């Protein structure tokens, strides 16, 4: 404990040293970050260009409030300290990039009042509608006429949509190497090489088509069978095709970014891409050299472009200098520190834990920063610590992540880990039914949380409170966005969508089942034109609403929809929302309708964004047991945590790299995070009697992710 305290003191008080802190769960990393910033603010040195970057706005707000309380809770804080505090940026990397772009927007011809959008499908459709003009702009005239015969533009556009960062596009378009194609026809296929002969016949047709059909595909099986001899003859052409596809995709990506800038609308990836573009611009480096001081929280969830931005803010082109292996001059001491934990890297679709480790090792090897390890957890009871160490000791053996055992703080309570056998939902009903807070060992029901690996599984648990009067109330998480759960924005958006697309049978079927509670059999009978009085009555009311649409203002039309179908009353009957939460949703929806020049289509999109990505979280209901996904539990803690569904299998989520092993490692880290949310008691439901393993490589269960899982 003393060693960990010394490390924490060194991090918080040695302001002239850069650090990389590896902090296990519950080891007080937020407290350490808070104290380091507070000491910097209170120092006699003026704080300039200081940014504290976190992964979420909620975490940034928490750190900011803690720093404020630490400095200004007592009287006598200096005016200089207040000035220093007000000069710090607390927020996410995207929040900082948005601020940076508004300050330097003239460099990329961007208006300062640009809009940040989460869904760019409408913009993309508008851009692709003018694709011919884009091709004419970026491709030389001599190649335009034959492009369609060599490339499948749908595949290239798909590649552009999947690109998160701009690719290098400094090459030039080259003419087609026709000599290589002629050699393919001269190849004498052997008796068993039917695929090659068929390919050659297709090739003859293609050559005589005058660019009216696409280049034929040999296929992977054909390439494998034909061997190096035949494949070698295609080499020059295949190299040309691959390079031109990459160049074309990069140019189109560049044009699409320019199109978004012209329309004054940027996606989140654009914020980081354009910020880095400005930072690397020589003109910016010559005129702006205000080096920044950076503290990066949750560093394991930062990607390559984010590290490039933050390190280049420390000193111009610093990232490129330090990782090129060449000479570099050290920037201001104490200018960069980061805190993270590879074991808690759970966003494989956004960040790469292997890259984070390589950055950590690279900065440490160049002696730019010093590594500190925080291993003593202030959160978990000793038995929970022992359980996590035992179950995950070898779980990361095949990955780049080194598992460093945690240690319980001296004097920590024993706590306990309990394993219950049975079907998950039934077992939860048994242990929760008729229990008061004290019976469960908690002061409030909100001190107990049920965590599931998938958001959709939480809905099953939520139905417990609807079907039983003996169970405590359950809250579908004060920080969880459940797309599959009922909500006023979702129901209103669904009705608006149907009224805008009156032939959408799928949307109508979903509305009838979810909003109006009509059985699937009854809905099928309605669509088969059999008698279904209830469905027909609802459909007729929707058609009547459609006729009223053009005669009412948008606020009155939305209010009419809610009143006609009693949406608020229907939601309150479900009894899964906090008091006043539905009314807050109602007010938010009505506020949105009063925006000028807003139509039903635009309102529908706003409502979809509202229930998928809530801007504010409802207040915690202290009388309700919390339900969260593993992902959303990150950074939180409860006295009692229950993990059901230990043997239910789920499909591996594809990681950014597309590797199955990477996705498996991500699931292990998610489970580790879930287990270490418990402070006093961890309950696991062993439901092995109800789920048989499929032994499929793309399926995994929580039990299979641990080193061993046996019932005590």
């Amino acid at each position: 404990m003393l060693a960990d305290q010394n490390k924490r003191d060194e991090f918080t008080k040695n302001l002239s040293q850069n650090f990389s802190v590896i902090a296990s769960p519950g080891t007080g990393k937020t407290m350490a970050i808070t104290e380091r910033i507070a000491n910097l603010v209170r120092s006699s040195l003026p704080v300039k260009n200081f940014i504290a970057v976190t992964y979420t706005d909620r975490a940034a707000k928490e750190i900011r409030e803690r720093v404020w309380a630490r400095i200004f809770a007592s009287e006598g804080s200096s005016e200089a300290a207040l000035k220093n505090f007000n000069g710090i940026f607390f927020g996410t990397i995207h929040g900082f990039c948005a601020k940076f772009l508004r300050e330097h927007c003239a460099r990329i011809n961007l208006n300062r009042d640009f809009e940040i959008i989460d869904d760019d499908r409408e913009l993309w459709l508008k851009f692709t509608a003018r694709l011919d003009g884009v091709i004419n702009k970026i491709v030389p005239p001599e190649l335009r006429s034959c492009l369609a015969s060599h490339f499948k533009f749908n595949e290239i556009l798909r590649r552009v949509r999947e690109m998160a960062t701009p690719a290098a596009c400094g090459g030039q378009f080259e003419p087609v190497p026709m000599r290589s194609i002629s050699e393919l026809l001269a190849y004498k296929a052997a008796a068993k090489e039917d695929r090659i002969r068929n390919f050659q016949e297709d090739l003859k047709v293609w050559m005589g088509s005058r660019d009216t059909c696409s280049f034929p595909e040999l296929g992977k099986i054909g390439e494998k069978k034909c061997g190096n001899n035949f494949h070698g003859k295609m080499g020059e052409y295949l190299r040309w095709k691959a390079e031109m596809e990459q160049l074309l995709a990069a140019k189109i990506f560049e044009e699409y970014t320019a199109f978004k800038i012209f329309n004054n609308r940027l996606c989140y990836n654009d914020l980081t891409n354009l910020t880095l573009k400005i930072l690397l611009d020589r003109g910016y480096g010559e005129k702006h050299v205000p080096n920044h001081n950076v503290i990066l929280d949750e560093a394991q969830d930062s990607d390559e472009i984010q590290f490039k931005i933050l390190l280049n803010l420390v000193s111009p082109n610093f990232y490129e200098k330090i990782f090129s292996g060449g000479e570099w001059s050290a920037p201001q001491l104490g200018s960069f520190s980061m805190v993270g934990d590879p074991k808690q890297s759970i966003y494989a679709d956004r960040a790469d834990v292997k890259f984070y480790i390589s950055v950590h090792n690279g900065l440490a090897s160049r002696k730019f920063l010093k590594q500190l390890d925080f291993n003593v957890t202030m959160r978990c009871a000793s038995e929970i610590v022992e359980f996590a160490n035992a179950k995950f000791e070898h779980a990361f053996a095949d990955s780049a992540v080194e598992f460093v055992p945690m240690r319980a703080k001296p004097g920590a309570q024993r706590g306990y880990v309990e394993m219950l056998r049975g079907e998950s939902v039934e077992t939860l009903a048994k242990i929760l039914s008729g229990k008061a807070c004290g019976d469960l060992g908690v002061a409030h029901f909100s001190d107990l949380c049920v965590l599931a690996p998938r958001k959709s599984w939480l809905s099953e648990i939520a139905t417990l409170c609807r079907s039983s009067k003996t169970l405590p109330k359950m809250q579908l998480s004060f920080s969880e966005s459940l797309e599959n759960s009922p909500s006023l924005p979702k129901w209103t958006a669904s009705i608006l969508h149907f009224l805008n697309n009156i032939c959408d049978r799928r949307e109508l079927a979903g509305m009838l089942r979810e909003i109006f509670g009509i059985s699937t059999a009854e809905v099928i009978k309605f669509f088969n034109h059999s008698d279904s009085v209830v469905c027909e009555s609802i459909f007729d009311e929707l058609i009547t609403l459609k006729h009223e649409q053009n005669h009412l203002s948008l606020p009155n039309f939305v209010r009419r929809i809610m009143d006609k179908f009693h949406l608020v009353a229907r939601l309150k009957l479900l009894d899964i929302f906090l008091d006043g939460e539905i009314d807050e949703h109602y007010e938010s929806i009505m506020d949105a309708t009063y925006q000028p020049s807003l139509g039903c289509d635009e309102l529908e999109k706003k409502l979809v964004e509202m229930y998928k990505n809530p801007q504010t979280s409802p207040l915690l209901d202290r009388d309700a047991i919390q339900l969260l996904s593993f992902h959303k539990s990150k950074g939180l803690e409860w006295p009692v945590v229950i993990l059901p569904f230990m043997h239910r299998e789920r499909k591996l989520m594809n990681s950014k790299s597309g590797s199955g092993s990477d996705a498996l490692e991500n699931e292990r880290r998610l489970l580790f995070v879930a287990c270490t949310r418990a402070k006093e008691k961890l309950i696991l439901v062993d439901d092995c009697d109800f789920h048989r393993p499929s032994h499929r490589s793309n399926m995994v269960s929580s039990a299979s992710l641990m080193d061993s899982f046996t019932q005590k």
Side-chain angles (χ1 to χ4, degrees), residues 9 59 97 111 167 182 223 378 528 579 639:
D9 288 344
C97 289
N111 289 334
S182 301
E223 291 180 9
M378 310 294 175
N528 287 337
D579 293 339

Side-chain angles (χ1 to χ4, degrees), residues 169-184:
C169 55
Q172 295 182 341
F173 288 101
E174 302 171 0
V176 187
M178 295 301 294
R179 183 180 63 81
S180 176
I181 297 174
S182 301
E183 290 180 358
L184 300 178

Side-chain angles (χ1 to χ4, degrees), residues 451-614:
L451 300 179
R454 294 290 182 265
K455 290 192 293 187
S456 57
W457 297 4
L458 294 171
S459 297
E460 298 178 36
I461 303 172
T463 57
L464 286 173
C465 64
R466 302 178 209 164
S467 59
S468 174
K469 295 182 179 180
T470 62
L471 288 170
K473 192 196 306 184
M474 296 189 185
Q475 184 179 3
L476 281 170
S477 150
F478 60 93
S479 60
E480 188 78 23
S481 168
L482 288 176
E483 298 180 26
N484 298 323
S485 299
S487 70
L488 191 59
K490 182 182 179 183
W491 282 6
T492 308
S494 180
I495 294 174
L496 283 172
H497 178 82
F498 178 72
L499 294 177
N500 294 332
N501 304 270
I502 208 71
C503 297
D504 192 336
R505 293 163 59 92
R506 182 177 178 182
E507 188 70 32
L508 177 59
M511 286 164 46
L512 292 172
R513 286 196 301 266
E514 182 175 323
I515 300 177
F516 301 101
I518 297 172
S519 68
T520 302
E522 191 73 15
V523 172
I524 292 174
K525 189 164 51 169
F526 170 70
F527 282 114
N528 287 337
H529 305 288
S530 302
D531 289 337
S532 176
V533 177
V534 178
C535 291
E536 288 176 359
S537 173
I538 294 170
F539 183 75
D540 289 342
E541 289 181 338
L542 287 166
I543 296 301
T544 302
L545 267 177
K546 179 67 177 174
H547 292 316
E548 295 177 0
Q549 186 171 355
N550 294 330
H551 304 289
L552 295 171
S553 65
L554 184 59
N556 288 337
F557 181 59
V558 172
R559 194 177 289 110
R560 175 85 172 118
I561 289 173
M562 295 188 190
D563 292 344
K564 191 175 188 68
F565 296 118
H566 310 290
L567 298 188
V568 171
R570 289 178 186 274
L571 283 166
K572 287 184 176 180
L573 285 174
L574 297 179
D575 196 28
I576 62 173
F577 295 93
L578 293 172
D579 293 339
E581 186 177 343
I582 298 174
D583 294 331
E584 287 180 14
H585 286 165
Y586 178 86
E587 294 299 330
S588 297
I589 292 170
M590 295 312 301
D591 286 345
T593 64
Y594 287 103
Q595 295 182 20
S597 305
L598 188 73
C600 284
D601 288 343
E602 291 79 9
L603 178 61
E604 179 197 330
K605 292 174 184 175
K606 283 184 174 293
L607 296 183
V608 169
E609 185 177 354
M610 191 182 295
Y611 73 76
K612 284 187 176 181
N613 305 292

Side-chain angles (χ1 to χ4, degrees), residues 666-695:
N666 194 63
E667 290 289 343
R668 282 199 179 98
R669 295 191 294 269
L670 270 170
L671 181 59
F672 174 76
V673 166
C675 289
T676 53
R677 300 308 96 192
K679 296 167 64 177
E680 302 164 9
K681 183 176 180 180
L682 176 64
I683 301 173
L684 303 100
V685 182
D686 184 349
D687 53 357
C688 62
D689 296 334
F690 300 86
H691 300 285
R692 293 183 178 179
S694 64
H695 301 296

Side-chain angles (χ1 to χ4, degrees), residues 19 42 176 274 593 648:
F19 292 101
R42 284 184 301 220
V176 187
L274 294 173
T593 64
R648 179 188 286 191

Side-chain angles (χ1 to χ4, degrees), residues 76-215:
S77 295
S78 66
E79 187 176 327
L82 179 62
K83 186 176 180 181
N84 279 346
F85 178 82
N86 291 334
I88 299 176
F89 171 86
F90 294 90
T92 64
I93 184 67
H94 294 105
F96 171 79
C97 289
K99 176 177 176 289
F100 183 87
L101 289 176
R102 295 192 198 282
E103 293 172 355
H104 303 282
C105 54
R107 291 187 167 275
I108 53 174
N109 297 319
L110 177 69
N111 289 334
R112 195 176 188 281
D113 61 344
F114 63 85
E115 179 185 0
I116 302 171
I117 58 175
D118 190 49
D119 185 352
D120 69 331
R121 284 174 293 184
E122 182 183 351
L123 265 180
W124 175 252
L125 289 174
K126 288 181 179 178
F127 174 75
T128 52
R130 56 189 290 276
L131 190 60
D132 288 343
V134 174
I135 297 300
N136 289 339
K137 177 181 177 182
I138 63 179
V139 179
E142 60 272 17
L143 283 178
R144 290 175 199 158
S145 60
C146 68
L147 279 181
S149 61
H150 294 281
F151 305 107
K152 293 184 176 179
F153 275 91
N154 284 341
E155 287 297 310
I156 292 176
L157 293 179
R158 181 187 60 79
R159 182 187 295 187
V160 174
R161 286 298 275 165
E162 292 174 352
M163 291 171 64
T165 57
C169 55
Q172 295 182 341
F173 288 101
E174 302 171 0
V176 187
M178 295 301 294
R179 183 180 63 81
S180 176
I181 297 174
S182 301
E183 290 180 358
L184 300 178
L185 298 175
Y187 175 77
K188 300 297 183 183
K192 295 183 179 180
E193 296 180 325
D194 293 338
R195 289 181 181 272
I196 296 178
R197 281 198 297 273
N198 292 337
F199 173 77
Q200 288 174 318
E201 291 301 318
D202 292 340
L203 193 58
K204 291 176 183 177
V205 174
W206 174 80
M207 292 184 72
S209 67
R210 297 181 182 273
D211 300 330
T212 57
C213 67
S214 299
F215 189 82

